[in-house]
Amino acid sequence: MPNITFILPDENQLTVAASDGESLMQAAVDNGIEEITADCGGCCSCATCHCYIDDAWKDKLEPADEMETALLDSAIENKQANSRLSCQIFLTSDLDGLVVKIPESDW
Amino acid sequence: MSCIIIGASHAGVNAAINLRNLGYQGKITLISADKVLPYQRPPLSKAFLQNTLPEQRLWLRPEAFYQQKEIDLMLGKRVISIDREQQTVELDDGQCLTYDKLILATGASIRRLSIPGSDLIGVHYMRDCEDTMGLRDALPDAKNVVVVGGGYIGLEVAASLQKLGKNVTLLLNQERPLKHLTSAVVSDYLSELHKANGVNIQPNAAAQAIIGDEKVTAVEASNGECYPADIVVAGIGVNPEQALAQQCGLAIDNGIQVNQYMQSSDENIYAIGDCVSFFHPIYNQQMRIESVQNATDQAKTAALAICDKLTPYTATPWFWSDQYDAKLQIAGLSNGYDEFVVRKESENSLAVFYFSKQRLIAIDAINQPKSFMITRKYLHQLPAVDKNKLADNDQDLNTLFTELVGV
């Protein structure tokens, strides 16, 4: 059960216990983080689950694939080097302590 | 202050969430005829059918979420009537609930086959979670499957079942799949994709009779052929679920008629999602759209209106479909196009841009997410676009569109 800390747009923090195997998007949505709208339900079609991964963690994740990169490149106003689509990040105990910044919704 | 929402799929659930996020203080009651927690529908014909998505991943929100947000979720209950004078709804268990505002998110109901043999064992449909589970349970004993219908559901079910190792025949009642929804370029790509994956796709072959004693054994088609079938899955469209609205005298026009704020002909009743006929100012016409985007965006519009933050609905429609390794993404509505141009970035990556009177109105992208995304973003802000530039792979679309829009 990895613990994940979300830093919300108003700078408030929320730490949640996520389940192994679920996506970071799912953990956010299930805990009421409404900036992550995840319209397509997690099939990498819509880019409405954009987040920033804390720099200390960004190299510990599987890199974004071609589809995710394409969506990030074309859809996100404030794309940074640590931008990811949270539906494509699957949580394991190795990610216990992950810190994620949630932007204001782009949509 | 109280709001009752009838229907707890994408539209209904999002309406409840939006009301709370906007600070709505009243009681929110979300009524669902389904017995299970509200769930996503798109995976029902894809990952959930293929058994690669566990049931709890289907849920739109976990159970605790509704409690936290003080959303009173009533599962397995059906509303049987609405009394607009008294502002009450009556449930099938005899309960009577009072509302200040009512949101109808009743969705759509499946069209059923009416050809001979339609009531045989082995005929399946695809709308609810239970439909998919029923089909999944029947699969181990089935070798041959006939899918009836060349819309999104038919294509997705055919792809899923082919992946699961079945012999799939897909019967179309027209010469190509998605005929009313897209150009021949996209239809032909999808036809070839299904053929390459082993689906026996039969154009101009409307199902005419289902053969069998108690159980399905074959399907007769209008091309004179008879196709063996242990299972038949029909995806032949849906009808807006408007019976409650009709019964209480709301205006109806291929769906419950609403204004740009999703308000029906009764000021205290809103309607959203698949069941709604609304006026889209960008297209300047009355329309009904069956999609997740439409459901979630209209939910927001209705919630804003109920919270006295009137915001007209102007969202750009978008859709997606996954079949095998192909991702189809659509933005805008292409019906009524008079010209199109194709951008082919590779053998498996193409985008079709549709124009009406020189104006770009829609894109169908297959494995070309960048083109889809950037078009979706700027579609309705763009002045005239040079078609040759869209077709030119060396032209970066982001640069082109942002220059045109001036951002």
Side-chain angles (χ1 to χ4, degrees), chain A residues 20-23 26 29-32 34 39-48 66-67 69-71 73-77 107, chain B residues 17 21 40 56-57 59-62 65 68-69 292 296-297 300 318 320 322 327 329 367 369-370 372-374 376-378 398:
Chain A
D20 273 338
E22 77 173 340
S23 71
Q26 194 95 45
V29 167
D30 287 357
N31 287 287
E34 299 300 337
D39 288 341
C40 79
C43 65
C44 201
S45 285
C46 70
T48 59
E66 205 184 332
M67 185 66 69
T69 307
L71 291 184
D73 284 350
S74 49
I76 305 302
E77 294 284 355
W107 305 100
Chain B
I17 294 170
N21 287 348
Q40 311 174 54
Q56 71 184 73
R57 294 273 164 77
W59 297 342
L60 284 163
R61 295 290 187 282
F65 177 90
Q68 277 163 18
K69 294 278 179 184
V292 171
T296 49
D297 285 341
K300 197 180 286 177
W318 67 273
W320 80 92
D322 294 306
K327 185 177 283 297
Q329 292 163 302
N367 300 324
K370 264 191 179 181
F372 160 74
M373 268 298 166
I374 203 72
R376 179 187 155 194
K377 195 164 172 181
Y378 292 117
N398 204 347

Short mmCIF file of all heavy atoms in Angstrom, two decimals, chain A residues 20-23 26 29-32 34 39-48 66-67 69-71 73-77 107, chain B residues 17 21 40 56-57 59-62 65 68-69 292 296-297 300 318 320 322 327 329 367 369-370 372-374 376-378 398:
data_model
loop_
_atom_site.label_atom_id
_atom_site.label_comp_id
_atom_site.label_asym_id
_atom_site.label_seq_id
_atom_site.Cartn_x
_atom_site.Cartn_y
_atom_site.Cartn_z
N ASP A 20 -1.81 -1.28 -4.43
CA ASP A 20 -0.83 -1.77 -5.41
C ASP A 20 -1.53 -2.04 -6.73
O ASP A 20 -2.60 -2.63 -6.75
CB ASP A 20 -0.23 -3.10 -4.93
CG ASP A 20 0.97 -2.87 -4.03
OD1 ASP A 20 1.58 -1.79 -4.14
OD2 ASP A 20 1.28 -3.76 -3.22
N GLY A 21 -0.94 -1.58 -7.81
CA GLY A 21 -1.48 -1.90 -9.13
C GLY A 21 -2.44 -0.87 -9.67
O GLY A 21 -2.70 -0.83 -10.86
N GLU A 22 -3.02 -0.05 -8.81
CA GLU A 22 -3.93 0.96 -9.35
C GLU A 22 -3.13 2.13 -9.93
O GLU A 22 -1.95 2.29 -9.65
CB GLU A 22 -4.95 1.44 -8.30
CG GLU A 22 -4.43 2.41 -7.27
CD GLU A 22 -5.53 2.96 -6.37
OE1 GLU A 22 -6.71 2.89 -6.74
OE2 GLU A 22 -5.18 3.45 -5.28
N SER A 23 -3.80 2.91 -10.76
CA SER A 23 -3.08 4.04 -11.37
C SER A 23 -3.10 5.24 -10.43
O SER A 23 -3.95 5.34 -9.54
CB SER A 23 -3.69 4.41 -12.72
OG SER A 23 -4.95 5.01 -12.53
N GLN A 26 -6.36 6.94 -10.69
CA GLN A 26 -7.42 6.31 -9.89
C GLN A 26 -7.31 6.75 -8.42
O GLN A 26 -8.31 7.08 -7.79
CB GLN A 26 -7.25 4.79 -9.98
CG GLN A 26 -8.44 4.01 -9.48
CD GLN A 26 -9.36 3.65 -10.62
OE1 GLN A 26 -8.88 3.21 -11.66
NE2 GLN A 26 -10.64 3.85 -10.45
N VAL A 29 -8.64 10.35 -8.19
CA VAL A 29 -10.09 10.45 -8.40
C VAL A 29 -10.84 9.86 -7.19
O VAL A 29 -11.78 10.47 -6.66
CB VAL A 29 -10.49 9.72 -9.71
CG1 VAL A 29 -11.99 9.54 -9.78
CG2 VAL A 29 -10.00 10.51 -10.91
N ASP A 30 -10.39 8.71 -6.75
CA ASP A 30 -11.08 8.04 -5.64
C ASP A 30 -11.02 8.86 -4.36
O ASP A 30 -11.85 8.70 -3.47
CB ASP A 30 -10.46 6.66 -5.38
CG ASP A 30 -10.83 5.67 -6.48
OD1 ASP A 30 -11.61 6.03 -7.38
OD2 ASP A 30 -10.34 4.53 -6.43
N ASN A 31 -10.01 9.73 -4.27
CA ASN A 31 -9.89 10.55 -3.06
C ASN A 31 -10.39 11.98 -3.27
O ASN A 31 -10.03 12.89 -2.53
CB ASN A 31 -8.44 10.51 -2.57
CG ASN A 31 -8.12 9.16 -1.95
OD1 ASN A 31 -8.57 8.86 -0.84
ND2 ASN A 31 -7.41 8.32 -2.68
N GLY A 32 -11.18 12.14 -4.28
CA GLY A 32 -11.90 13.40 -4.45
C GLY A 32 -11.08 14.55 -5.01
O GLY A 32 -11.43 15.71 -4.81
N GLU A 34 -10.70 16.63 -7.72
CA GLU A 34 -11.55 16.84 -8.89
C GLU A 34 -10.83 17.55 -10.04
O GLU A 34 -11.36 17.61 -11.15
CB GLU A 34 -12.82 17.60 -8.50
CG GLU A 34 -13.67 16.87 -7.48
CD GLU A 34 -14.17 15.50 -7.95
OE1 GLU A 34 -14.23 15.28 -9.17
OE2 GLU A 34 -14.45 14.65 -7.08
N ASP A 39 -11.52 12.10 -18.06
CA ASP A 39 -12.73 11.85 -18.84
C ASP A 39 -12.77 10.47 -19.52
O ASP A 39 -13.82 9.86 -19.62
CB ASP A 39 -12.88 12.92 -19.94
CG ASP A 39 -13.26 14.27 -19.36
OD1 ASP A 39 -13.75 14.29 -18.21
OD2 ASP A 39 -13.08 15.28 -20.04
N CYS A 40 -11.63 10.02 -20.01
CA CYS A 40 -11.65 8.76 -20.78
C CYS A 40 -11.51 7.55 -19.88
O CYS A 40 -11.51 6.42 -20.37
CB CYS A 40 -10.60 8.76 -21.88
SG CYS A 40 -8.92 8.40 -21.34
N GLY A 41 -11.40 7.76 -18.59
CA GLY A 41 -11.39 6.63 -17.66
C GLY A 41 -10.04 5.93 -17.56
O GLY A 41 -9.93 4.88 -16.96
N GLY A 42 -9.02 6.51 -18.20
CA GLY A 42 -7.69 5.94 -18.01
C GLY A 42 -7.14 5.18 -19.20
O GLY A 42 -6.20 4.42 -19.05
N CYS A 43 -7.70 5.42 -20.41
CA CYS A 43 -7.18 4.68 -21.56
C CYS A 43 -6.28 5.55 -22.43
O CYS A 43 -6.08 5.26 -23.61
CB CYS A 43 -8.29 4.03 -22.36
SG CYS A 43 -9.39 5.19 -23.14
N CYS A 44 -5.75 6.62 -21.85
CA CYS A 44 -4.78 7.48 -22.54
C CYS A 44 -5.36 8.07 -23.83
O CYS A 44 -4.76 7.97 -24.89
CB CYS A 44 -3.49 6.72 -22.82
SG CYS A 44 -2.08 7.81 -23.09
N SER A 45 -6.55 8.67 -23.70
CA SER A 45 -7.18 9.26 -24.88
C SER A 45 -7.45 10.75 -24.75
O SER A 45 -7.80 11.38 -25.73
CB SER A 45 -8.52 8.57 -25.17
OG SER A 45 -8.31 7.31 -25.73
N CYS A 46 -7.34 11.30 -23.53
CA CYS A 46 -7.90 12.64 -23.38
C CYS A 46 -6.99 13.68 -22.71
O CYS A 46 -7.26 14.87 -22.83
CB CYS A 46 -9.22 12.57 -22.62
SG CYS A 46 -9.05 12.13 -20.89
N ALA A 47 -5.98 13.28 -22.00
CA ALA A 47 -5.05 14.20 -21.33
C ALA A 47 -5.69 15.05 -20.24
O ALA A 47 -5.19 16.13 -19.91
CB ALA A 47 -4.35 15.11 -22.36
N THR A 48 -6.78 14.58 -19.65
CA THR A 48 -7.41 15.35 -18.57
C THR A 48 -6.99 14.84 -17.19
O THR A 48 -7.69 15.04 -16.21
CB THR A 48 -8.95 15.32 -18.68
OG1 THR A 48 -9.39 13.96 -18.61
CG2 THR A 48 -9.44 15.93 -19.97
N GLU A 66 4.90 6.50 -26.32
CA GLU A 66 4.71 7.41 -27.45
C GLU A 66 3.36 8.14 -27.39
O GLU A 66 3.27 9.34 -27.61
CB GLU A 66 4.76 6.55 -28.72
CG GLU A 66 5.16 7.29 -29.96
CD GLU A 66 5.08 6.35 -31.17
OE1 GLU A 66 5.25 5.12 -31.00
OE2 GLU A 66 4.83 6.85 -32.26
N MET A 67 2.31 7.37 -27.06
CA MET A 67 0.96 7.95 -27.01
C MET A 67 0.88 9.02 -25.92
O MET A 67 0.39 10.12 -26.15
CB MET A 67 -0.05 6.82 -26.75
CG MET A 67 -1.50 7.24 -26.79
SD MET A 67 -2.06 7.76 -28.43
CE MET A 67 -2.06 6.23 -29.35
N THR A 69 3.33 10.70 -24.56
CA THR A 69 4.18 11.83 -24.93
C THR A 69 3.46 12.74 -25.93
O THR A 69 3.48 13.97 -25.79
CB THR A 69 5.50 11.32 -25.54
OG1 THR A 69 6.08 10.39 -24.63
CG2 THR A 69 6.48 12.46 -25.78
N ALA A 70 2.80 12.11 -26.90
CA ALA A 70 2.08 12.89 -27.91
C ALA A 70 0.97 13.72 -27.28
O ALA A 70 0.79 14.90 -27.60
CB ALA A 70 1.51 11.96 -28.97
N LEU A 71 0.25 13.13 -26.34
CA LEU A 71 -0.84 13.86 -25.69
C LEU A 71 -0.28 15.00 -24.84
O LEU A 71 -0.79 16.11 -24.86
CB LEU A 71 -1.70 12.93 -24.82
CG LEU A 71 -2.55 11.89 -25.55
CD1 LEU A 71 -3.41 11.11 -24.58
CD2 LEU A 71 -3.44 12.53 -26.60
N ASP A 73 2.54 16.58 -25.26
CA ASP A 73 3.12 17.61 -26.12
C ASP A 73 2.07 18.54 -26.70
O ASP A 73 2.30 19.73 -26.86
CB ASP A 73 3.87 16.96 -27.29
CG ASP A 73 5.20 16.39 -26.85
OD1 ASP A 73 5.60 16.69 -25.72
OD2 ASP A 73 5.82 15.65 -27.63
N SER A 74 0.91 17.98 -27.04
CA SER A 74 -0.04 18.78 -27.79
C SER A 74 -1.17 19.35 -26.93
O SER A 74 -1.82 20.30 -27.33
CB SER A 74 -0.62 17.96 -28.93
OG SER A 74 -1.05 16.71 -28.46
N ALA A 75 -1.39 18.78 -25.76
CA ALA A 75 -2.59 19.17 -25.03
C ALA A 75 -2.34 20.07 -23.83
O ALA A 75 -3.24 20.75 -23.36
CB ALA A 75 -3.33 17.93 -24.57
N ILE A 76 -1.13 20.05 -23.32
CA ILE A 76 -0.91 20.68 -22.02
C ILE A 76 -0.26 22.05 -22.17
O ILE A 76 0.83 22.17 -22.75
CB ILE A 76 -0.04 19.75 -21.13
CG1 ILE A 76 -0.68 18.36 -21.03
CG2 ILE A 76 0.19 20.36 -19.77
CD1 ILE A 76 -2.08 18.32 -20.48
N GLU A 77 -0.94 23.07 -21.64
CA GLU A 77 -0.43 24.45 -21.71
C GLU A 77 0.93 24.58 -21.01
O GLU A 77 1.86 25.11 -21.56
CB GLU A 77 -1.36 25.43 -20.98
CG GLU A 77 -2.72 25.66 -21.52
CD GLU A 77 -2.80 26.55 -22.74
OE1 GLU A 77 -1.77 27.09 -23.17
OE2 GLU A 77 -3.91 26.67 -23.28
N TRP A 107 -8.85 21.81 -18.45
CA TRP A 107 -10.07 21.66 -19.24
C TRP A 107 -11.18 22.44 -18.61
O TRP A 107 -12.11 22.17 -18.20
CB TRP A 107 -10.41 20.19 -19.43
CG TRP A 107 -9.25 19.50 -20.03
CD1 TRP A 107 -8.32 18.75 -19.38
CD2 TRP A 107 -8.83 19.55 -21.40
NE1 TRP A 107 -7.36 18.31 -20.26
CE2 TRP A 107 -7.65 18.80 -21.49
CE3 TRP A 107 -9.34 20.18 -22.55
CZ2 TRP A 107 -6.96 18.65 -22.70
CZ3 TRP A 107 -8.66 20.02 -23.72
CH2 TRP A 107 -7.48 19.26 -23.81
N ILE B 17 -21.36 15.30 -8.27
CA ILE B 17 -20.02 15.75 -7.86
C ILE B 17 -19.85 17.24 -8.12
O ILE B 17 -19.35 17.99 -7.28
CB ILE B 17 -18.93 14.95 -8.62
CG1 ILE B 17 -18.98 13.48 -8.20
CG2 ILE B 17 -17.54 15.53 -8.37
CD1 ILE B 17 -18.12 12.56 -9.06
N ASN B 21 -18.96 20.26 -5.56
CA ASN B 21 -17.77 21.08 -5.76
C ASN B 21 -18.09 22.55 -5.90
O ASN B 21 -17.28 23.42 -5.59
CB ASN B 21 -17.01 20.62 -7.02
CG ASN B 21 -16.31 19.30 -6.78
OD1 ASN B 21 -16.21 18.84 -5.65
ND2 ASN B 21 -15.85 18.67 -7.84
N GLN B 40 -18.23 3.05 -15.20
CA GLN B 40 -17.92 3.58 -16.52
C GLN B 40 -18.47 2.63 -17.58
O GLN B 40 -18.30 1.43 -17.46
CB GLN B 40 -16.43 3.62 -16.76
CG GLN B 40 -15.59 4.24 -15.69
CD GLN B 40 -14.12 4.05 -16.06
OE1 GLN B 40 -13.68 4.42 -17.15
NE2 GLN B 40 -13.36 3.47 -15.15
N GLN B 56 -13.96 -3.58 -9.86
CA GLN B 56 -13.88 -2.34 -9.06
C GLN B 56 -13.18 -1.19 -9.78
O GLN B 56 -13.34 -0.04 -9.44
CB GLN B 56 -13.27 -2.60 -7.69
CG GLN B 56 -11.81 -2.91 -7.70
CD GLN B 56 -11.35 -3.24 -6.29
OE1 GLN B 56 -11.65 -4.29 -5.76
NE2 GLN B 56 -10.61 -2.32 -5.69
N ARG B 57 -12.41 -1.53 -10.85
CA ARG B 57 -11.80 -0.47 -11.67
C ARG B 57 -12.83 0.16 -12.59
O ARG B 57 -12.58 1.17 -13.22
CB ARG B 57 -10.66 -1.04 -12.51
CG ARG B 57 -9.49 -1.51 -11.75
CD ARG B 57 -8.49 -0.38 -11.48
NE ARG B 57 -7.57 -0.78 -10.44
CZ ARG B 57 -6.56 -1.61 -10.61
NH1 ARG B 57 -6.30 -2.11 -11.79
NH2 ARG B 57 -5.78 -1.93 -9.61
N TRP B 59 -15.75 1.09 -11.48
CA TRP B 59 -16.53 2.06 -10.71
C TRP B 59 -16.08 3.49 -10.99
O TRP B 59 -14.89 3.78 -11.07
CB TRP B 59 -16.37 1.80 -9.21
CG TRP B 59 -16.91 0.46 -8.80
CD1 TRP B 59 -17.78 -0.32 -9.49
CD2 TRP B 59 -16.59 -0.25 -7.59
NE1 TRP B 59 -18.03 -1.48 -8.79
CE2 TRP B 59 -17.32 -1.46 -7.62
CE3 TRP B 59 -15.77 0.02 -6.49
CZ2 TRP B 59 -17.24 -2.40 -6.60
CZ3 TRP B 59 -15.70 -0.90 -5.48
CH2 TRP B 59 -16.43 -2.10 -5.52
N LEU B 60 -17.04 4.37 -11.09
CA LEU B 60 -16.71 5.79 -11.30
C LEU B 60 -16.07 6.37 -10.05
O LEU B 60 -15.15 7.19 -10.12
CB LEU B 60 -17.96 6.58 -11.68
CG LEU B 60 -18.44 6.38 -13.13
CD1 LEU B 60 -19.87 6.84 -13.31
CD2 LEU B 60 -17.52 7.12 -14.10
N ARG B 61 -16.58 5.97 -8.88
CA ARG B 61 -16.03 6.39 -7.59
C ARG B 61 -16.22 5.24 -6.61
O ARG B 61 -17.17 4.48 -6.73
CB ARG B 61 -16.76 7.63 -7.03
CG ARG B 61 -16.62 8.92 -7.83
CD ARG B 61 -15.21 9.48 -7.75
NE ARG B 61 -15.08 10.79 -8.37
CZ ARG B 61 -14.99 11.01 -9.68
NH1 ARG B 61 -15.01 10.00 -10.52
NH2 ARG B 61 -14.86 12.23 -10.15
N PRO B 62 -15.33 5.14 -5.60
CA PRO B 62 -15.54 4.10 -4.58
C PRO B 62 -16.74 4.47 -3.69
O PRO B 62 -17.14 5.64 -3.64
CB PRO B 62 -14.24 4.11 -3.79
CG PRO B 62 -13.65 5.46 -4.02
CD PRO B 62 -14.12 5.94 -5.35
N PHE B 65 -16.67 7.44 -1.24
CA PHE B 65 -16.68 8.77 -1.84
C PHE B 65 -18.05 9.43 -1.71
O PHE B 65 -18.16 10.61 -1.38
CB PHE B 65 -16.28 8.66 -3.31
CG PHE B 65 -16.32 9.96 -4.07
CD1 PHE B 65 -15.21 10.78 -4.13
CD2 PHE B 65 -17.48 10.37 -4.72
CE1 PHE B 65 -15.25 11.98 -4.81
CE2 PHE B 65 -17.53 11.56 -5.41
CZ PHE B 65 -16.41 12.36 -5.45
N GLN B 68 -18.62 10.54 1.81
CA GLN B 68 -17.81 11.74 2.11
C GLN B 68 -18.44 13.00 1.54
O GLN B 68 -18.45 14.05 2.16
CB GLN B 68 -16.41 11.60 1.51
CG GLN B 68 -15.44 10.80 2.36
CD GLN B 68 -14.24 10.36 1.51
OE1 GLN B 68 -13.99 10.91 0.44
NE2 GLN B 68 -13.52 9.36 2.00
N LYS B 69 -18.96 12.87 0.34
CA LYS B 69 -19.53 14.04 -0.33
C LYS B 69 -21.00 14.25 0.03
O LYS B 69 -21.65 15.14 -0.55
CB LYS B 69 -19.41 13.88 -1.86
CG LYS B 69 -17.99 13.87 -2.37
CD LYS B 69 -17.46 15.29 -2.54
CE LYS B 69 -16.02 15.27 -3.03
NZ LYS B 69 -15.43 16.61 -3.11
N VAL B 292 -19.38 10.09 -23.60
CA VAL B 292 -18.95 10.41 -22.23
C VAL B 292 -18.71 11.91 -22.09
O VAL B 292 -19.13 12.54 -21.12
CB VAL B 292 -17.67 9.62 -21.87
CG1 VAL B 292 -17.10 10.10 -20.55
CG2 VAL B 292 -17.98 8.13 -21.80
N THR B 296 -20.49 14.29 -19.31
CA THR B 296 -19.79 14.97 -18.21
C THR B 296 -19.86 16.50 -18.36
O THR B 296 -20.05 17.20 -17.37
CB THR B 296 -18.32 14.52 -18.12
OG1 THR B 296 -17.74 14.61 -19.41
CG2 THR B 296 -18.20 13.10 -17.67
N ASP B 297 -19.75 16.99 -19.58
CA ASP B 297 -19.80 18.44 -19.76
C ASP B 297 -21.20 19.00 -19.51
O ASP B 297 -21.36 20.09 -18.95
CB ASP B 297 -19.30 18.84 -21.16
CG ASP B 297 -17.78 18.73 -21.27
OD1 ASP B 297 -17.11 18.73 -20.22
OD2 ASP B 297 -17.27 18.66 -22.39
N LYS B 300 -21.85 19.36 -15.83
CA LYS B 300 -21.27 20.58 -15.28
C LYS B 300 -22.17 21.78 -15.57
O LYS B 300 -22.42 22.62 -14.69
CB LYS B 300 -19.88 20.79 -15.92
CG LYS B 300 -19.00 21.77 -15.19
CD LYS B 300 -17.65 21.91 -15.87
CE LYS B 300 -16.74 20.71 -15.66
NZ LYS B 300 -15.45 20.85 -16.39
N TRP B 318 -16.22 15.36 -28.46
CA TRP B 318 -15.13 14.45 -28.83
C TRP B 318 -15.44 13.04 -28.37
O TRP B 318 -16.22 12.82 -27.45
CB TRP B 318 -13.78 14.95 -28.35
CG TRP B 318 -13.55 14.97 -26.88
CD1 TRP B 318 -13.87 15.98 -26.01
CD2 TRP B 318 -12.95 13.94 -26.08
NE1 TRP B 318 -13.51 15.63 -24.73
CE2 TRP B 318 -12.94 14.39 -24.75
CE3 TRP B 318 -12.41 12.68 -26.38
CZ2 TRP B 318 -12.42 13.62 -23.71
CZ3 TRP B 318 -11.89 11.92 -25.34
CH2 TRP B 318 -11.90 12.40 -24.03
N TRP B 320 -13.85 8.65 -28.55
CA TRP B 320 -12.72 7.77 -28.84
C TRP B 320 -13.19 6.34 -28.93
O TRP B 320 -14.26 5.99 -28.45
CB TRP B 320 -11.63 7.90 -27.77
CG TRP B 320 -11.91 7.12 -26.52
CD1 TRP B 320 -11.49 5.84 -26.25
CD2 TRP B 320 -12.67 7.53 -25.38
NE1 TRP B 320 -11.95 5.45 -25.01
CE2 TRP B 320 -12.67 6.47 -24.45
CE3 TRP B 320 -13.34 8.70 -25.05
CZ2 TRP B 320 -13.33 6.53 -23.23
CZ3 TRP B 320 -14.00 8.77 -23.83
CH2 TRP B 320 -13.98 7.70 -22.94
N ASP B 322 -11.15 2.25 -29.06
CA ASP B 322 -9.94 1.43 -29.16
C ASP B 322 -10.32 0.11 -29.80
O ASP B 322 -11.25 -0.56 -29.32
CB ASP B 322 -9.35 1.16 -27.78
CG ASP B 322 -8.83 2.43 -27.13
OD1 ASP B 322 -8.02 3.12 -27.76
OD2 ASP B 322 -9.25 2.74 -26.00
N LYS B 327 -6.03 3.35 -32.06
CA LYS B 327 -6.75 4.32 -31.24
C LYS B 327 -7.38 5.34 -32.16
O LYS B 327 -6.70 6.07 -32.86
CB LYS B 327 -5.79 4.99 -30.25
CG LYS B 327 -6.49 5.91 -29.28
CD LYS B 327 -5.52 6.50 -28.26
CE LYS B 327 -5.12 5.55 -27.17
NZ LYS B 327 -6.22 5.11 -26.30
N GLN B 329 -9.58 8.66 -32.42
CA GLN B 329 -9.99 9.82 -31.63
C GLN B 329 -10.65 10.84 -32.57
O GLN B 329 -10.12 11.12 -33.64
CB GLN B 329 -8.79 10.46 -30.93
CG GLN B 329 -8.20 9.57 -29.84
CD GLN B 329 -6.80 10.02 -29.45
OE1 GLN B 329 -5.91 10.09 -30.29
NE2 GLN B 329 -6.60 10.34 -28.18
N ASN B 367 -4.44 6.64 -34.52
CA ASN B 367 -3.04 6.59 -34.06
C ASN B 367 -2.29 7.89 -34.38
O ASN B 367 -1.14 7.88 -34.77
CB ASN B 367 -2.30 5.40 -34.68
CG ASN B 367 -2.95 4.08 -34.31
OD1 ASN B 367 -3.45 3.94 -33.19
ND2 ASN B 367 -2.97 3.14 -35.23
N PRO B 369 -2.46 10.96 -32.12
CA PRO B 369 -3.03 11.70 -30.99
C PRO B 369 -2.69 13.19 -30.99
O PRO B 369 -3.50 14.00 -30.55
CB PRO B 369 -2.45 10.99 -29.76
CG PRO B 369 -1.26 10.24 -30.25
CD PRO B 369 -1.56 9.87 -31.66
N LYS B 370 -1.52 13.53 -31.52
CA LYS B 370 -1.14 14.95 -31.51
C LYS B 370 -2.11 15.76 -32.36
O LYS B 370 -2.57 16.83 -31.97
CB LYS B 370 0.26 15.12 -32.07
CG LYS B 370 1.33 15.18 -31.04
CD LYS B 370 2.63 15.62 -31.69
CE LYS B 370 3.70 15.71 -30.63
NZ LYS B 370 4.98 16.13 -31.16
N PHE B 372 -5.11 15.02 -33.18
CA PHE B 372 -6.42 15.05 -32.52
C PHE B 372 -6.45 16.12 -31.43
O PHE B 372 -7.36 16.96 -31.37
CB PHE B 372 -6.73 13.67 -31.91
CG PHE B 372 -7.77 13.71 -30.82
CD1 PHE B 372 -9.11 13.89 -31.14
CD2 PHE B 372 -7.42 13.58 -29.49
CE1 PHE B 372 -10.08 13.94 -30.13
CE2 PHE B 372 -8.37 13.63 -28.48
CZ PHE B 372 -9.69 13.81 -28.80
N MET B 373 -5.45 16.08 -30.57
CA MET B 373 -5.45 16.97 -29.40
C MET B 373 -5.43 18.44 -29.80
O MET B 373 -6.18 19.26 -29.27
CB MET B 373 -4.21 16.68 -28.55
CG MET B 373 -4.46 15.66 -27.50
SD MET B 373 -5.72 16.30 -26.37
CE MET B 373 -6.14 14.83 -25.52
N ILE B 374 -4.56 18.75 -30.72
CA ILE B 374 -4.40 20.16 -31.07
C ILE B 374 -5.63 20.65 -31.83
O ILE B 374 -6.06 21.79 -31.66
CB ILE B 374 -3.07 20.35 -31.87
CG1 ILE B 374 -2.61 21.78 -31.77
CG2 ILE B 374 -3.15 19.89 -33.28
CD1 ILE B 374 -2.07 22.11 -30.41
N ARG B 376 -8.71 19.40 -31.41
CA ARG B 376 -9.78 19.49 -30.41
C ARG B 376 -9.69 20.83 -29.67
O ARG B 376 -10.69 21.49 -29.41
CB ARG B 376 -9.63 18.33 -29.42
CG ARG B 376 -10.67 18.35 -28.35
CD ARG B 376 -10.41 17.31 -27.27
NE ARG B 376 -11.03 17.75 -26.05
CZ ARG B 376 -10.80 17.25 -24.86
NH1 ARG B 376 -9.95 16.25 -24.72
NH2 ARG B 376 -11.40 17.73 -23.81
N LYS B 377 -8.48 21.22 -29.38
CA LYS B 377 -8.28 22.43 -28.60
C LYS B 377 -8.69 23.70 -29.35
O LYS B 377 -9.30 24.59 -28.78
CB LYS B 377 -6.79 22.50 -28.23
CG LYS B 377 -6.45 23.47 -27.16
CD LYS B 377 -5.07 23.11 -26.67
CE LYS B 377 -4.51 24.12 -25.72
NZ LYS B 377 -3.17 23.72 -25.30
N TYR B 378 -8.34 23.76 -30.64
CA TYR B 378 -8.53 25.02 -31.36
C TYR B 378 -9.66 25.01 -32.38
O TYR B 378 -9.94 26.03 -33.01
CB TYR B 378 -7.22 25.42 -32.07
CG TYR B 378 -6.13 25.78 -31.10
CD1 TYR B 378 -4.96 25.04 -31.02
CD2 TYR B 378 -6.28 26.87 -30.23
CE1 TYR B 378 -3.96 25.35 -30.12
CE2 TYR B 378 -5.29 27.20 -29.33
CZ TYR B 378 -4.13 26.44 -29.27
OH TYR B 378 -3.15 26.76 -28.38
N ASN B 398 0.77 22.20 -34.35
CA ASN B 398 0.74 23.09 -33.18
C ASN B 398 1.13 24.51 -33.60
O ASN B 398 0.44 25.49 -33.26
CB ASN B 398 1.72 22.54 -32.14
CG ASN B 398 1.36 22.99 -30.75
OD1 ASN B 398 0.53 23.88 -30.58
ND2 ASN B 398 1.98 22.38 -29.76
#
